[in-house]
């Protein structure tokens, strides 16, 4: 009974937190869509329209997709308490951790596709996977280093915040060696605050980058109408780094292979 109550409490907390996080992710994707597309196509991605969609027509989609991730997280949290009791518990926790990462990763892409197309969660997930398979973009997604780069930036900001706090405390306190423990605590708290604040920004940037990838797969010509210079740069880099994927993508006929 205790585990069931704990599971339900964790499920409600995770579901709410993940849902609101995905709402922000959804609105960010719509903002990029407004920048990418033109005319009437971009009107549905305006800030007011995207917030309205996130809390009305697409709210069920966001909640439904968030529920899967919340279930895995809650089950993993409950299983963590028992993983030291048996080998099977450890294996079960490892499986849940893998599922948690996979579902969370796929959800992010599916919600972007849902934001741009208005499809439901299941349909958006299938359409997204089919589109990227057809375009040969699976390798590009697997090779993306954006998440790792932004994570390093976030950690770097945390260390800078900690160093700044430590330096300030060292200068303000007359005898810092005698009060080393409070300084260490303040440095640690400053590190956490720096990482937390920077993570908010890096999360938004990650959503923007992934939305650009999806928009490019959906309709690269739309970027040519709104921002032709950016389309040229993206096409040049794509051809340079992923020449084979560019040739197999189906876009080679639309865009002449740039001279590199």
């Amino acid at each position: 009974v205790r585990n069931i109550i704990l599971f339900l409490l964790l499920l409600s907390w995770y579901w709410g937190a993940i849902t609101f996080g995905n709402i922000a992710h959804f609105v960010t994707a719509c903002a990029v869509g407004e920048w990418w597309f033109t005319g009437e196509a971009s009107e549905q991605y305006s800030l007011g329209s995207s917030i309205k969609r996130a809390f009305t027509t697409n709210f069920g989609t966001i909640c439904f997709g968030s529920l899967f991730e919340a279930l895995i997280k809650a089950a993993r949290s409950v299983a963590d308490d028992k993983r030291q009791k048996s080998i099977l518990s450890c294996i079960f926790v490892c499986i849940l951790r893998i599922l948690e990462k996979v579902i969370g990763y796929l959800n992010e892409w599916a919600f972007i596709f849902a934001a741009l197309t208005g499809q439901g969660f299941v349909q958006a997930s299938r359409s997204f996977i089919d589109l990227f398979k057809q375009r040969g973009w699976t390798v590009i997604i697997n090779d993306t280093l954006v998440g790792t780069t932004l994570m390093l930036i976030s950690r770097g900001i945390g260390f800078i915040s900690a160093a700044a706090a430590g330096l300030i405390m060292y200068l303000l306190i007359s005898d810092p060696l005698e009060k080393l423990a409070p300084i260490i605590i303040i440095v640690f708290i400053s590190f956490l605050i720096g990482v937390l604040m920077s993570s908010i920004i890096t999360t938004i940037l990650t959503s923007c980058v992934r939305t650009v990838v999806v928009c490019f797969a959906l309709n690269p010509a739309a970027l040519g109408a709104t921002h032709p210079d950016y389309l040229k740069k993206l096409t040049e880099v794509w051809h340079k780094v992923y020449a084979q994927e560019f040739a197999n993508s189906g876009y080679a006929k639309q865009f002449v292979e740039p001279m590199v």
Side-chain angles (χ1 to χ4, degrees), residues 14-200:
Y14 279 128
W15 195 10
I18 294 171
T19 298
F20 281 104
N22 286 329
I23 288 174
H25 182 54
F26 183 94
V27 174
T28 302
C30 288
V32 176
E34 184 181 16
W35 176 82
W36 188 279
F37 298 99
T38 59
E40 296 181 358
S42 65
E43 293 180 0
Q44 61 177 323
Y45 305 126
S46 63
L47 181 60
S49 178
S50 61
I51 293 176
K52 181 180 179 180
R53 288 174 55 202
F55 284 98
T56 54
T57 55
N58 290 105
F59 187 66
T61 297
I62 297 173
C63 291
F64 183 66
S66 301
L67 178 60
F68 289 102
E69 190 174 354
L71 285 170
I72 298 298
K73 284 182 177 292
R76 191 261 304 162
S77 298
V78 174
D80 274 338
D81 294 336
K82 298 183 178 181
R83 65 178 179 176
Q84 296 180 351
K85 295 183 179 180
S86 66
I87 297 177
L88 292 177
S89 298
C90 293
I91 296 174
F92 183 63
V93 170
C94 290
I95 294 174
L96 289 177
R97 288 184 182 276
I98 294 172
L99 288 175
E100 180 182 344
K101 291 184 179 295
V102 171
I103 292 176
Y105 183 77
L106 293 178
N107 274 359
E108 292 179 358
W109 291 98
F111 284 131
I112 292 173
F113 207 90
L116 296 175
T117 62
Q119 295 178 341
F121 177 75
V122 176
Q123 186 179 1
S125 301
R126 292 175 179 174
S127 299
F128 160 74
I129 294 173
D130 291 341
L131 175 66
F132 275 58
K133 283 183 178 179
Q134 293 172 4
R135 299 304 185 189
W137 280 45
T138 307
V139 176
I140 298 177
I141 296 177
N142 291 337
D143 288 348
T144 180
L145 299 176
V146 174
T148 303
T149 303
L150 293 177
M151 182 190 69
L152 293 175
I153 292 174
S154 178
R155 299 297 184 273
I157 293 175
F159 283 118
I160 292 173
S161 301
L167 180 61
I168 292 173
M169 293 300 298
Y170 179 81
L171 295 176
L172 292 178
I173 297 177
S174 57
D175 194 356
L177 294 179
E178 293 184 358
K179 300 181 179 179
L180 187 60
I183 293 178
I184 293 176
I185 294 174
I186 292 175
V187 167
F188 180 71
I189 294 175
S190 300
F191 172 79
L192 293 179
I193 293 175
V195 171
L196 178 62
M197 298 302 294
S198 60
S199 295
I200 296 174

